[in-house]
Amino acid sequence: MHTVVVVWVHKNTFCSGDHVSWHSPLDNSESRIQHMLLTEDPQMQPVQTPFGVVTFLQIVGVCTEELHAAQQWNGQGILELLRTVPVAGGPWLITDMRRGETIFEIDPHLQERVDKGIETDGSNLSGVSAKCAWDDLSRPPEDDEDSRSICIGTQPRRLSGKDTEQIRETLRRGLEINSKPVLPPINSQRQNGLNHDRAPSRKDSLESESSAAIIPHELIRTRQLESVHLKFNQESGALIPLCLRGRLLHGRHFTYKSITGDTAITFVSTGVEGAFATEEHPYAAHGPWLQILLTEEFVERMLEDLEDLNSPEEFKLPKEYSWPEKKLKVSILPDAVFDNPLH
């Protein structure tokens, strides 16, 4: 019997169905159980306290293949499958660190259920913390007004508190399965001479508020870019097909938030409202937050060109993909480039 206490210091909230990529056996053994899914504790009921409701979450250990299935589809779906396999958790989702087979090896039919779920539902993973960066190739690096500020080797500008909260809201709202997903708008309402974030609404869009509510400096900070270069480490790059197939082809969005700085990259489809990237200007930046709008036709082409990302162990880094007519370049780089940006 093991009791595990895990503490993360950040401002994000864990929810049932979330996952944690750990990349190491949870008990420091040679176990294949190296990642975690989170679910509501089946025994500990929510408790009302003077500070609000406290909900207890249970950590469920999973193999790498099960983690990838949760990312490609959704965590709740994989948790339900784990409940059907006694040795993989059973109804109480008890983790056995000695488990040597994935649920897909134990019951191959479960992979068919996951594949069908991905095709029907897409992925509800709306974003990840990642090692990523982007360059604005539209302007020379020495341009003093260049707000890209995320080029590897340069000192990034910091996101404002409002920008950071909007990115968090992007990730939260991505879990909602809507016919028309909505990104939180860049604009804010002016109250008592101060800028205050508006409560997001499903009807929000950049255009609907442009006549009165956008603060002038906000308009200046949002720039349309002609050409961009995206940079990811291998683990983050391996999620690009998920982003394209599981999110954008289902009319949703996907965000990479840098773990080493304030950089954020959000891919959006044409069905997402509230984005500042448009079909006319598909690359747009708000400080260090880049949005890229991809049409369905281009997504399909990218999926073909990025096919080898599904088997990242088969190619050597660095790896570069380029679409000159779209003025878009993607590089998959070693971790060291992001860990030591000045080298």
Side-chain angles (χ1 to χ4, degrees):
M1 181 73 178
H2 297 277
T3 300
V4 181
V5 178
V6 183
V7 177
W8 283 273
V9 180
H10 58 46
K11 296 183 179 180
N12 293 329
T13 301
F14 284 119
C15 300
S16 178
D18 284 352
H19 72 269
V20 178
S21 304
W22 199 250
H23 301 289
S24 179
L26 304 186
D27 63 350
N28 295 319
S29 68
E30 299 298 321
S31 174
R32 292 183 70 180
I33 308 298
Q34 301 188 8
H35 310 280
M36 305 172 228
L37 294 181
L38 301 178
T39 186
E40 293 181 4
D41 192 289
Q43 294 178 297
M44 300 288 290
Q45 298 300 311
V47 176
Q48 181 69 50
T49 75
F51 303 101
V53 177
V54 175
T55 301
F56 296 91
L57 296 179
Q58 175 181 340
I59 292 175
V60 181
V62 295
C63 303
T64 299
E65 294 83 353
E66 294 155 358
L67 172 77
H68 290 165
Q71 292 174 328
Q72 297 284 341
W73 185 24
N74 63 74
Q76 292 291 3
I78 300 304
L79 287 166
E80 290 304 315
L81 296 185
L82 289 168
R83 286 189 174 96
T84 67
V85 182
V87 297
W92 297 101
L93 291 173
I94 298 173
T95 300
D96 181 358
M97 295 300 299
R98 297 169 299 178
R99 175 161 66 96
E101 294 181 299
T102 71
I103 58 174
F104 308 115
E105 292 168 336
I106 296 170
D107 184 353
H109 294 292
L110 296 182
Q111 184 63 57
E112 298 176 11
R113 292 177 60 180
V114 172
D115 293 340
K116 183 177 180 180
I118 294 172
E119 181 180 354
T120 302
D121 306 327
S123 171
N124 76 342
L125 180 64
S126 61
V128 292
S129 296
K131 292 184 178 180
C132 62
W134 62 269
D135 286 342
D136 173 10
L137 302 181
S138 313
R139 297 186 179 186
E142 63 273 10
D143 190 333
D144 292 337
E145 298 300 320
D146 186 5
S147 64
R148 62 182 180 151
S149 302
I150 15 262
C151 178
I152 294 176
T154 65
Q155 181 65 33
R157 295 184 184 178
R158 296 194 61 79
L159 284 171
S160 68
K162 181 161 67 67
D163 291 334
T164 301
E165 179 55 33
Q166 286 170 337
I167 292 174
R168 290 199 188 100
E169 184 65 16
T170 298
L171 299 179
R172 287 195 293 266
R173 294 174 73 92
L175 295 176
E176 302 173 359
I177 307 302
N178 304 321
S179 59
K180 299 192 74 173
V182 180
L183 279 170
I186 289 300
N187 50 314
S188 61
Q189 287 182 319
R190 195 174 185 85
Q191 301 176 3
N192 300 324
L194 299 174
N195 293 337
H196 296 272
D197 291 339
R198 295 185 287 110
S201 162
R202 291 182 186 275
K203 296 181 180 179
D204 283 339
S205 68
L206 194 59
E207 292 77 12
S208 64
E209 301 290 340
S210 61
S211 60
I214 298 179
I215 308 305
H217 80 275
E218 298 287 341
L219 286 175
I220 294 174
R221 291 179 59 203
T222 301
R223 297 193 298 111
Q224 283 77 44
L225 314 179
E226 293 297 325
S227 178
V228 294
H229 181 191
L230 310 182
K231 304 174 182 180
F232 303 94
N233 74 333
Q234 185 168 344
E235 182 180 4
S236 302
L239 292 175
I240 296 176
L242 177 156
C243 161
L244 300 176
R245 181 179 293 107
R247 297 293 297 177
L248 270 65
L249 287 184
H250 288 263
R252 303 171 193 163
H253 53 80
F254 188 88
T255 295
Y256 286 95
K257 174 65 177 69
S258 173
I259 61 175
T260 59
D262 289 317
T263 306
I265 302 170
T266 297
F267 292 88
V268 300
S269 67
T270 54
V272 175
E273 295 183 346
F276 45 85
T278 65
E279 288 194 52
E280 183 179 1
H281 300 288
Y283 313 133
H286 186 70
W289 185 6
L290 174 69
Q291 287 187 10
I292 298 179
L293 186 146
L294 302 176
T295 63
E296 182 175 341
E297 180 182 3
F298 187 35
V299 167
E300 295 283 6
R301 178 183 168 190
M302 289 182 68
L303 282 170
E304 293 181 5
D305 295 341
L306 299 172
E307 179 66 29
D308 56 352
L309 285 179
N310 295 314
S311 304
E313 66 280 356
E314 297 181 3
F315 65 83
K316 296 182 179 180
L317 300 180
K319 181 77 173 181
E320 184 174 295
Y321 306 88
S322 181
W323 298 270
E325 74 285 2
K326 296 291 185 179
K327 299 182 179 180
L328 175 64
K329 182 164 64 174
V330 174
S331 293
I332 311 300
L333 304 171
D335 281 12
V337 174
F338 300 90
D339 297 335
N340 302 287
L342 297 180
H343 294 275

